[in-house]
mmCIF file of all heavy atoms in Angstrom:
data_model
loop_
_atom_site.group_PDB
_atom_site.id
_atom_site.type_symbol
_atom_site.label_atom_id
_atom_site.label_comp_id
_atom_site.label_asym_id
_atom_site.label_seq_id
_atom_site.Cartn_x
_atom_site.Cartn_y
_atom_site.Cartn_z
ATOM 1 N N THR A 17 16.749 -0.579 1.485
ATOM 2 C CA THR A 17 16.733 -1.551 2.605
ATOM 3 C C THR A 17 17.364 -0.997 3.808
ATOM 4 O O THR A 17 18.359 -0.215 3.708
ATOM 5 C CB THR A 17 17.459 -2.880 2.201
ATOM 6 O OG1 THR A 17 18.826 -2.580 1.905
ATOM 7 C CG2 THR A 17 16.806 -3.551 1.061
ATOM 8 N N TYR A 18 16.838 -1.285 4.970
ATOM 9 C CA TYR A 18 17.340 -0.812 6.258
ATOM 10 C C TYR A 18 17.566 -2.034 7.183
ATOM 11 O O TYR A 18 16.734 -2.948 7.205
ATOM 12 C CB TYR A 18 16.377 0.172 6.973
ATOM 13 C CG TYR A 18 15.984 1.356 6.158
ATOM 14 C CD1 TYR A 18 14.854 1.329 5.325
ATOM 15 C CD2 TYR A 18 16.719 2.528 6.166
ATOM 16 C CE1 TYR A 18 14.473 2.449 4.605
ATOM 17 C CE2 TYR A 18 16.365 3.622 5.453
ATOM 18 C CZ TYR A 18 15.249 3.526 4.654
ATOM 19 O OH TYR A 18 14.885 4.662 3.918
ATOM 20 N N VAL A 19 18.651 -2.007 7.908
ATOM 21 C CA VAL A 19 18.922 -3.061 8.890
ATOM 22 C C VAL A 19 19.258 -2.461 10.186
ATOM 23 O O VAL A 19 20.469 -2.271 10.536
ATOM 24 C CB VAL A 19 20.088 -4.002 8.381
ATOM 25 C CG1 VAL A 19 20.215 -5.185 9.370
ATOM 26 C CG2 VAL A 19 19.792 -4.539 6.984
ATOM 27 N N PRO A 20 18.259 -1.996 10.890
ATOM 28 C CA PRO A 20 18.572 -1.434 12.225
ATOM 29 C C PRO A 20 18.895 -2.512 13.247
ATOM 30 O O PRO A 20 18.868 -3.695 12.976
ATOM 31 C CB PRO A 20 17.213 -0.720 12.592
ATOM 32 C CG PRO A 20 16.215 -1.519 11.881
ATOM 33 C CD PRO A 20 16.846 -2.026 10.612
ATOM 34 N N GLN A 21 19.262 -2.057 14.438
ATOM 35 C CA GLN A 21 19.578 -3.001 15.506
ATOM 36 C C GLN A 21 18.304 -3.667 15.942
ATOM 37 O O GLN A 21 17.297 -2.987 16.188
ATOM 38 C CB GLN A 21 20.268 -2.232 16.699
ATOM 39 C CG GLN A 21 21.635 -1.620 16.370
ATOM 40 C CD GLN A 21 22.672 -2.665 16.098
ATOM 41 O OE1 GLN A 21 22.590 -3.803 16.584
ATOM 42 N NE2 GLN A 21 23.640 -2.366 15.252
ATOM 43 N N GLY A 22 18.343 -4.943 16.068
ATOM 44 C CA GLY A 22 17.114 -5.691 16.485
ATOM 45 C C GLY A 22 16.867 -6.870 15.607
ATOM 46 O O GLY A 22 17.740 -7.279 14.815
ATOM 47 N N GLU A 23 15.690 -7.436 15.724
ATOM 48 C CA GLU A 23 15.367 -8.657 14.998
ATOM 49 C C GLU A 23 14.568 -8.394 13.707
ATOM 50 O O GLU A 23 14.077 -9.344 13.112
ATOM 51 C CB GLU A 23 14.506 -9.554 15.922
ATOM 52 C CG GLU A 23 13.240 -8.938 16.417
ATOM 53 C CD GLU A 23 12.459 -9.822 17.346
ATOM 54 O OE1 GLU A 23 12.867 -11.005 17.496
ATOM 55 O OE2 GLU A 23 11.468 -9.379 17.892
ATOM 56 N N PHE A 24 14.466 -7.156 13.273
ATOM 57 C CA PHE A 24 13.735 -6.876 12.089
ATOM 58 C C PHE A 24 14.585 -6.076 11.081
ATOM 59 O O PHE A 24 15.544 -5.360 11.485
ATOM 60 C CB PHE A 24 12.481 -6.063 12.392
ATOM 61 C CG PHE A 24 11.490 -6.748 13.243
ATOM 62 C CD1 PHE A 24 11.393 -6.470 14.638
ATOM 63 C CD2 PHE A 24 10.630 -7.697 12.723
ATOM 64 C CE1 PHE A 24 10.519 -7.132 15.432
ATOM 65 C CE2 PHE A 24 9.735 -8.386 13.548
ATOM 66 C CZ PHE A 24 9.679 -8.074 14.906
ATOM 67 N N ALA A 25 14.260 -6.211 9.787
ATOM 68 C CA ALA A 25 14.826 -5.442 8.696
ATOM 69 C C ALA A 25 13.663 -4.822 7.936
ATOM 70 O O ALA A 25 12.521 -5.322 7.985
ATOM 71 C CB ALA A 25 15.674 -6.341 7.790
ATOM 72 N N THR A 26 13.973 -3.806 7.168
ATOM 73 C CA THR A 26 12.930 -3.054 6.411
ATOM 74 C C THR A 26 13.263 -2.949 4.943
ATOM 75 O O THR A 26 14.419 -2.624 4.651
ATOM 76 C CB THR A 26 12.711 -1.641 7.043
ATOM 77 O OG1 THR A 26 12.401 -1.796 8.433
ATOM 78 C CG2 THR A 26 11.604 -0.910 6.336
ATOM 79 N N LEU A 27 12.264 -3.185 4.125
ATOM 80 C CA LEU A 27 12.371 -2.967 2.693
ATOM 81 C C LEU A 27 11.304 -1.987 2.291
ATOM 82 O O LEU A 27 10.100 -2.214 2.517
ATOM 83 C CB LEU A 27 12.147 -4.311 1.913
ATOM 84 C CG LEU A 27 12.060 -4.207 0.389
ATOM 85 C CD1 LEU A 27 13.294 -3.614 -0.209
ATOM 86 C CD2 LEU A 27 11.753 -5.578 -0.202
ATOM 87 N N GLU A 28 11.752 -0.797 1.747
ATOM 88 C CA GLU A 28 10.822 0.269 1.489
ATOM 89 C C GLU A 28 10.794 0.619 0.006
ATOM 90 O O GLU A 28 11.844 0.641 -0.649
ATOM 91 C CB GLU A 28 11.233 1.521 2.310
ATOM 92 C CG GLU A 28 10.246 2.701 2.102
ATOM 93 C CD GLU A 28 10.739 3.924 2.883
ATOM 94 O OE1 GLU A 28 11.694 4.550 2.404
ATOM 95 O OE2 GLU A 28 10.090 4.235 3.908
ATOM 96 N N VAL A 29 9.587 0.880 -0.547
ATOM 97 C CA VAL A 29 9.417 1.323 -1.916
ATOM 98 C C VAL A 29 8.748 2.648 -1.832
ATOM 99 O O VAL A 29 7.639 2.787 -1.374
ATOM 100 C CB VAL A 29 8.573 0.330 -2.743
ATOM 101 C CG1 VAL A 29 8.371 0.834 -4.182
ATOM 102 C CG2 VAL A 29 9.225 -1.044 -2.754
ATOM 103 N N TRP A 30 9.458 3.674 -2.355
ATOM 104 C CA TRP A 30 8.953 5.061 -2.355
ATOM 105 C C TRP A 30 8.799 5.589 -3.751
ATOM 106 O O TRP A 30 9.628 5.241 -4.614
ATOM 107 C CB TRP A 30 9.893 6.013 -1.526
ATOM 108 C CG TRP A 30 9.444 7.430 -1.494
ATOM 109 C CD1 TRP A 30 8.675 8.081 -0.592
ATOM 110 C CD2 TRP A 30 9.800 8.456 -2.470
ATOM 111 N NE1 TRP A 30 8.487 9.348 -0.887
ATOM 112 C CE2 TRP A 30 9.196 9.664 -2.022
ATOM 113 C CE3 TRP A 30 10.583 8.470 -3.634
ATOM 114 C CZ2 TRP A 30 9.335 10.850 -2.748
ATOM 115 C CZ3 TRP A 30 10.725 9.665 -4.315
ATOM 116 C CH2 TRP A 30 10.086 10.838 -3.875
ATOM 117 N N SER A 31 7.778 6.324 -4.021
ATOM 118 C CA SER A 31 7.569 6.924 -5.304
ATOM 119 C C SER A 31 6.933 8.265 -5.204
ATOM 120 O O SER A 31 6.103 8.560 -4.308
ATOM 121 C CB SER A 31 6.631 6.017 -6.174
ATOM 122 O OG SER A 31 5.378 5.911 -5.626
ATOM 123 N N GLU A 32 7.379 9.165 -6.053
ATOM 124 C CA GLU A 32 6.811 10.525 -6.087
ATOM 125 C C GLU A 32 5.386 10.469 -6.644
ATOM 126 O O GLU A 32 5.133 9.750 -7.666
ATOM 127 C CB GLU A 32 7.725 11.430 -6.962
ATOM 128 C CG GLU A 32 7.161 12.829 -7.239
ATOM 129 C CD GLU A 32 6.410 12.830 -8.568
ATOM 130 O OE1 GLU A 32 6.635 11.993 -9.452
ATOM 131 O OE2 GLU A 32 5.459 13.682 -8.662
ATOM 132 N N GLY A 33 4.506 11.199 -6.025
ATOM 133 C CA GLY A 33 3.119 11.209 -6.494
ATOM 134 C C GLY A 33 2.210 11.932 -5.561
ATOM 135 O O GLY A 33 2.574 12.230 -4.455
ATOM 136 N N PRO A 34 0.962 12.145 -5.936
ATOM 137 C CA PRO A 34 -0.017 12.826 -5.128
ATOM 138 C C PRO A 34 -0.439 11.954 -3.975
ATOM 139 O O PRO A 34 -0.337 10.713 -4.037
ATOM 140 C CB PRO A 34 -1.173 13.125 -6.073
ATOM 141 C CG PRO A 34 -1.109 12.059 -7.108
ATOM 142 C CD PRO A 34 0.385 11.793 -7.283
ATOM 143 N N PRO A 35 -1.018 12.534 -2.954
ATOM 144 C CA PRO A 35 -1.463 11.699 -1.773
ATOM 145 C C PRO A 35 -2.669 10.914 -2.151
ATOM 146 O O PRO A 35 -3.445 11.258 -3.029
ATOM 147 C CB PRO A 35 -1.793 12.780 -0.686
ATOM 148 C CG PRO A 35 -2.116 14.025 -1.461
ATOM 149 C CD PRO A 35 -1.179 13.996 -2.664
ATOM 150 N N LEU A 36 -2.862 9.781 -1.442
ATOM 151 C CA LEU A 36 -4.040 8.935 -1.691
ATOM 152 C C LEU A 36 -5.269 9.546 -1.063
ATOM 153 O O LEU A 36 -5.172 10.229 -0.066
ATOM 154 C CB LEU A 36 -3.756 7.568 -1.087
ATOM 155 C CG LEU A 36 -2.604 6.750 -1.680
ATOM 156 C CD1 LEU A 36 -2.515 5.403 -0.933
ATOM 157 C CD2 LEU A 36 -2.720 6.530 -3.158
ATOM 158 N N ASP A 37 -6.402 9.311 -1.717
ATOM 159 C CA ASP A 37 -7.715 9.716 -1.145
ATOM 160 C C ASP A 37 -7.903 8.969 0.177
ATOM 161 O O ASP A 37 -7.504 7.826 0.331
ATOM 162 C CB ASP A 37 -8.795 9.419 -2.205
ATOM 163 C CG ASP A 37 -10.163 9.974 -1.605
ATOM 164 O OD1 ASP A 37 -10.422 11.138 -1.949
ATOM 165 O OD2 ASP A 37 -10.829 9.231 -0.963
ATOM 166 N N GLN A 38 -8.544 9.609 1.093
ATOM 167 C CA GLN A 38 -8.753 9.016 2.408
ATOM 168 C C GLN A 38 -9.571 7.737 2.367
ATOM 169 O O GLN A 38 -9.289 6.798 3.092
ATOM 170 C CB GLN A 38 -9.469 10.054 3.375
ATOM 171 C CG GLN A 38 -8.506 11.153 3.813
ATOM 172 C CD GLN A 38 -9.212 12.000 4.920
ATOM 173 O OE1 GLN A 38 -10.374 11.817 5.231
ATOM 174 N NE2 GLN A 38 -8.441 12.922 5.484
ATOM 175 N N THR A 39 -10.551 7.755 1.455
ATOM 176 C CA THR A 39 -11.333 6.518 1.272
ATOM 177 C C THR A 39 -10.492 5.397 0.773
ATOM 178 O O THR A 39 -10.573 4.238 1.216
ATOM 179 C CB THR A 39 -12.548 6.798 0.381
ATOM 180 O OG1 THR A 39 -13.309 7.890 0.854
ATOM 181 C CG2 THR A 39 -13.443 5.582 0.287
ATOM 182 N N VAL A 40 -9.632 5.713 -0.204
ATOM 183 C CA VAL A 40 -8.778 4.673 -0.725
ATOM 184 C C VAL A 40 -7.772 4.211 0.287
ATOM 185 O O VAL A 40 -7.518 2.973 0.436
ATOM 186 C CB VAL A 40 -8.015 5.218 -1.983
ATOM 187 C CG1 VAL A 40 -7.010 4.235 -2.503
ATOM 188 C CG2 VAL A 40 -9.029 5.582 -3.075
ATOM 189 N N GLU A 41 -7.216 5.122 1.041
ATOM 190 C CA GLU A 41 -6.202 4.728 2.094
ATOM 191 C C GLU A 41 -6.849 3.845 3.170
ATOM 192 O O GLU A 41 -6.226 2.943 3.702
ATOM 193 C CB GLU A 41 -5.623 6.001 2.701
ATOM 194 C CG GLU A 41 -4.562 5.736 3.730
ATOM 195 C CD GLU A 41 -3.950 7.015 4.283
ATOM 196 O OE1 GLU A 41 -4.213 8.107 3.702
ATOM 197 O OE2 GLU A 41 -3.252 6.920 5.274
ATOM 198 N N ARG A 42 -8.090 4.151 3.490
ATOM 199 C CA ARG A 42 -8.769 3.360 4.512
ATOM 200 C C ARG A 42 -8.988 1.909 4.078
ATOM 201 O O ARG A 42 -8.996 0.986 4.922
ATOM 202 C CB ARG A 42 -10.139 4.032 4.860
ATOM 203 C CG ARG A 42 -10.831 3.356 6.040
ATOM 204 C CD ARG A 42 -11.976 4.250 6.593
ATOM 205 N NE ARG A 42 -12.967 4.500 5.557
ATOM 206 C CZ ARG A 42 -13.224 5.651 5.022
ATOM 207 N NH1 ARG A 42 -12.479 6.705 5.400
ATOM 208 N NH2 ARG A 42 -14.145 5.848 4.119
ATOM 209 N N HIS A 43 -9.191 1.697 2.782
ATOM 210 C CA HIS A 43 -9.434 0.331 2.304
ATOM 211 C C HIS A 43 -8.248 -0.153 1.467
ATOM 212 O O HIS A 43 -8.391 -1.038 0.596
ATOM 213 C CB HIS A 43 -10.672 0.331 1.401
ATOM 214 C CG HIS A 43 -11.898 0.808 2.120
ATOM 215 N ND1 HIS A 43 -12.581 0.058 3.014
ATOM 216 C CD2 HIS A 43 -12.544 2.021 2.017
ATOM 217 C CE1 HIS A 43 -13.647 0.779 3.464
ATOM 218 N NE2 HIS A 43 -13.650 1.942 2.879
ATOM 219 N N LEU A 44 -7.072 0.321 1.723
ATOM 220 C CA LEU A 44 -5.916 0.132 0.843
ATOM 221 C C LEU A 44 -5.571 -1.349 0.702
ATOM 222 O O LEU A 44 -5.312 -1.877 -0.376
ATOM 223 C CB LEU A 44 -4.714 0.893 1.391
ATOM 224 C CG LEU A 44 -3.529 1.098 0.416
ATOM 225 C CD1 LEU A 44 -3.968 1.878 -0.847
ATOM 226 C CD2 LEU A 44 -2.426 1.907 1.111
ATOM 227 N N PHE A 45 -5.558 -2.073 1.826
ATOM 228 C CA PHE A 45 -5.116 -3.445 1.787
ATOM 229 C C PHE A 45 -6.311 -4.466 1.799
ATOM 230 O O PHE A 45 -6.096 -5.625 2.092
ATOM 231 C CB PHE A 45 -4.201 -3.727 2.996
ATOM 232 C CG PHE A 45 -2.915 -2.986 2.897
ATOM 233 C CD1 PHE A 45 -2.738 -1.791 3.628
ATOM 234 C CD2 PHE A 45 -1.896 -3.388 2.140
ATOM 235 C CE1 PHE A 45 -1.570 -1.093 3.563
ATOM 236 C CE2 PHE A 45 -0.679 -2.705 2.058
ATOM 237 C CZ PHE A 45 -0.554 -1.504 2.773
ATOM 238 N N GLU A 46 -7.541 -3.961 1.543
ATOM 239 C CA GLU A 46 -8.641 -4.824 1.487
ATOM 240 C C GLU A 46 -8.776 -5.489 0.121
ATOM 241 O O GLU A 46 -8.414 -4.869 -0.873
ATOM 242 C CB GLU A 46 -9.952 -4.103 1.837
ATOM 243 C CG GLU A 46 -9.994 -3.563 3.264
ATOM 244 C CD GLU A 46 -11.286 -2.859 3.595
ATOM 245 O OE1 GLU A 46 -12.189 -2.905 2.737
ATOM 246 O OE2 GLU A 46 -11.353 -2.307 4.723
ATOM 247 N N PRO A 47 -9.308 -6.711 0.078
ATOM 248 C CA PRO A 47 -9.386 -7.374 -1.218
ATOM 249 C C PRO A 47 -10.476 -6.715 -2.114
ATOM 250 O O PRO A 47 -11.470 -6.230 -1.604
ATOM 251 C CB PRO A 47 -9.784 -8.819 -0.874
ATOM 252 C CG PRO A 47 -10.443 -8.713 0.444
ATOM 253 C CD PRO A 47 -9.761 -7.555 1.129
ATOM 254 N N PHE A 48 -10.209 -6.694 -3.420
ATOM 255 C CA PHE A 48 -11.179 -6.303 -4.435
ATOM 256 C C PHE A 48 -11.533 -4.804 -4.315
ATOM 257 O O PHE A 48 -12.596 -4.366 -4.748
ATOM 258 C CB PHE A 48 -12.462 -7.079 -4.342
ATOM 259 C CG PHE A 48 -12.197 -8.584 -4.285
ATOM 260 C CD1 PHE A 48 -12.511 -9.309 -3.169
ATOM 261 C CD2 PHE A 48 -11.650 -9.268 -5.371
ATOM 262 C CE1 PHE A 48 -12.284 -10.667 -3.108
ATOM 263 C CE2 PHE A 48 -11.396 -10.642 -5.330
ATOM 264 C CZ PHE A 48 -11.717 -11.358 -4.169
ATOM 265 N N PHE A 49 -10.650 -4.026 -3.705
ATOM 266 C CA PHE A 49 -10.902 -2.529 -3.656
ATOM 267 C C PHE A 49 -9.791 -1.850 -4.402
ATOM 268 O O PHE A 49 -8.603 -2.111 -4.159
ATOM 269 C CB PHE A 49 -10.915 -2.056 -2.202
ATOM 270 C CG PHE A 49 -11.307 -0.615 -2.059
ATOM 271 C CD1 PHE A 49 -12.633 -0.268 -1.997
ATOM 272 C CD2 PHE A 49 -10.355 0.409 -2.104
ATOM 273 C CE1 PHE A 49 -13.048 1.081 -1.813
ATOM 274 C CE2 PHE A 49 -10.762 1.721 -1.995
ATOM 275 C CZ PHE A 49 -12.066 2.018 -1.842
ATOM 276 N N SER A 50 -10.167 -0.991 -5.353
ATOM 277 C CA SER A 50 -9.184 -0.280 -6.143
ATOM 278 C C SER A 50 -9.777 1.063 -6.557
ATOM 279 O O SER A 50 -10.966 1.241 -6.673
ATOM 280 C CB SER A 50 -8.841 -1.101 -7.429
ATOM 281 O OG SER A 50 -7.982 -0.378 -8.251
ATOM 282 N N SER A 51 -8.885 2.016 -6.747
ATOM 283 C CA SER A 51 -9.270 3.346 -7.208
ATOM 284 C C SER A 51 -9.439 3.412 -8.738
ATOM 285 O O SER A 51 -9.872 4.394 -9.247
ATOM 286 C CB SER A 51 -8.214 4.396 -6.767
ATOM 287 O OG SER A 51 -6.936 4.083 -7.315
ATOM 288 N N GLU A 52 -9.060 2.321 -9.379
ATOM 289 C CA GLU A 52 -9.253 2.235 -10.891
ATOM 290 C C GLU A 52 -10.295 1.223 -11.148
ATOM 291 O O GLU A 52 -10.390 0.133 -10.597
ATOM 292 C CB GLU A 52 -7.939 1.833 -11.530
ATOM 293 C CG GLU A 52 -6.823 2.885 -11.402
ATOM 294 C CD GLU A 52 -5.576 2.448 -12.125
ATOM 295 O OE1 GLU A 52 -5.436 1.241 -12.432
ATOM 296 O OE2 GLU A 52 -4.743 3.294 -12.426
ATOM 297 N N SER A 53 -11.198 1.611 -12.142
ATOM 298 C CA SER A 53 -12.314 0.701 -12.434
ATOM 299 C C SER A 53 -11.859 -0.581 -13.104
ATOM 300 O O SER A 53 -12.541 -1.612 -12.974
ATOM 301 C CB SER A 53 -13.298 1.475 -13.351
ATOM 302 O OG SER A 53 -12.619 1.857 -14.548
ATOM 303 N N ARG A 54 -10.750 -0.595 -13.794
ATOM 304 C CA ARG A 54 -10.273 -1.822 -14.462
ATOM 305 C C ARG A 54 -9.393 -2.695 -13.659
ATOM 306 O O ARG A 54 -8.983 -3.751 -14.111
ATOM 307 C CB ARG A 54 -9.516 -1.403 -15.814
ATOM 308 C CG ARG A 54 -10.385 -0.684 -16.810
ATOM 309 C CD ARG A 54 -9.587 -0.400 -18.096
ATOM 310 N NE ARG A 54 -10.429 0.252 -19.061
ATOM 311 C CZ ARG A 54 -9.987 0.584 -20.320
ATOM 312 N NH1 ARG A 54 -8.722 0.330 -20.646
ATOM 313 N NH2 ARG A 54 -10.826 1.207 -21.136
ATOM 314 N N SER A 55 -9.061 -2.281 -12.482
ATOM 315 C CA SER A 55 -8.188 -3.056 -11.601
ATOM 316 C C SER A 55 -9.026 -4.030 -10.781
ATOM 317 O O SER A 55 -10.157 -3.721 -10.371
ATOM 318 C CB SER A 55 -7.357 -2.156 -10.712
ATOM 319 O OG SER A 55 -6.615 -2.940 -9.783
ATOM 320 N N SER A 56 -8.471 -5.179 -10.508
ATOM 321 C CA SER A 56 -9.193 -6.194 -9.676
ATOM 322 C C SER A 56 -9.095 -5.833 -8.195
ATOM 323 O O SER A 56 -9.902 -6.388 -7.393
ATOM 324 C CB SER A 56 -8.634 -7.565 -9.936
ATOM 325 O OG SER A 56 -7.278 -7.611 -9.477
ATOM 326 N N GLY A 57 -8.160 -5.018 -7.801
ATOM 327 C CA GLY A 57 -8.047 -4.675 -6.371
ATOM 328 C C GLY A 57 -7.448 -5.790 -5.514
ATOM 329 O O GLY A 57 -7.686 -5.797 -4.334
ATOM 330 N N LEU A 58 -6.694 -6.663 -6.095
ATOM 331 C CA LEU A 58 -6.110 -7.792 -5.345
ATOM 332 C C LEU A 58 -4.635 -7.618 -5.090
ATOM 333 O O LEU A 58 -4.067 -8.397 -4.277
ATOM 334 C CB LEU A 58 -6.322 -9.124 -6.124
ATOM 335 C CG LEU A 58 -7.768 -9.636 -6.101
ATOM 336 C CD1 LEU A 58 -7.854 -10.813 -7.090
ATOM 337 C CD2 LEU A 58 -8.224 -10.052 -4.757
ATOM 338 N N GLY A 59 -3.976 -6.680 -5.779
ATOM 339 C CA GLY A 59 -2.487 -6.579 -5.689
ATOM 340 C C GLY A 59 -1.972 -6.377 -4.261
ATOM 341 O O GLY A 59 -1.245 -7.227 -3.744
ATOM 342 N N LEU A 60 -2.390 -5.323 -3.599
ATOM 343 C CA LEU A 60 -1.961 -5.050 -2.259
ATOM 344 C C LEU A 60 -2.479 -6.001 -1.240
ATOM 345 O O LEU A 60 -1.847 -6.316 -0.245
ATOM 346 C CB LEU A 60 -2.364 -3.587 -1.870
ATOM 347 C CG LEU A 60 -1.622 -2.498 -2.636
ATOM 348 C CD1 LEU A 60 -2.172 -1.126 -2.236
ATOM 349 C CD2 LEU A 60 -0.088 -2.579 -2.373
ATOM 350 N N TYR A 61 -3.667 -6.582 -1.521
ATOM 351 C CA TYR A 61 -4.197 -7.562 -0.621
ATOM 352 C C TYR A 61 -3.277 -8.841 -0.647
ATOM 353 O O TYR A 61 -2.973 -9.424 0.393
ATOM 354 C CB TYR A 61 -5.618 -7.956 -1.014
ATOM 355 C CG TYR A 61 -6.135 -9.143 -0.306
ATOM 356 C CD1 TYR A 61 -6.501 -9.092 1.051
ATOM 357 C CD2 TYR A 61 -6.303 -10.401 -1.024
ATOM 358 C CE1 TYR A 61 -7.003 -10.224 1.645
ATOM 359 C CE2 TYR A 61 -6.769 -11.489 -0.381
ATOM 360 C CZ TYR A 61 -7.142 -11.418 0.953
ATOM 361 O OH TYR A 61 -7.615 -12.538 1.653
ATOM 362 N N ILE A 62 -2.874 -9.208 -1.824
ATOM 363 C CA ILE A 62 -1.980 -10.384 -1.966
ATOM 364 C C ILE A 62 -0.647 -10.090 -1.283
ATOM 365 O O ILE A 62 -0.039 -10.910 -0.616
ATOM 366 C CB ILE A 62 -1.763 -10.765 -3.443
ATOM 367 C CG1 ILE A 62 -3.099 -11.277 -4.020
ATOM 368 C CG2 ILE A 62 -0.658 -11.788 -3.644
ATOM 369 C CD1 ILE A 62 -3.057 -11.557 -5.474
#
């Protein structure tokens, strides 16, 4: 968590791992889009 000067605060989740594919990154927060066939693709959208 970060609390800089101003009216906003930041909560960051970082994990070690390979970079995301550009196609996946472009649709990252869209509903029903996932890089895994068994995933519903709703997590990041929610």
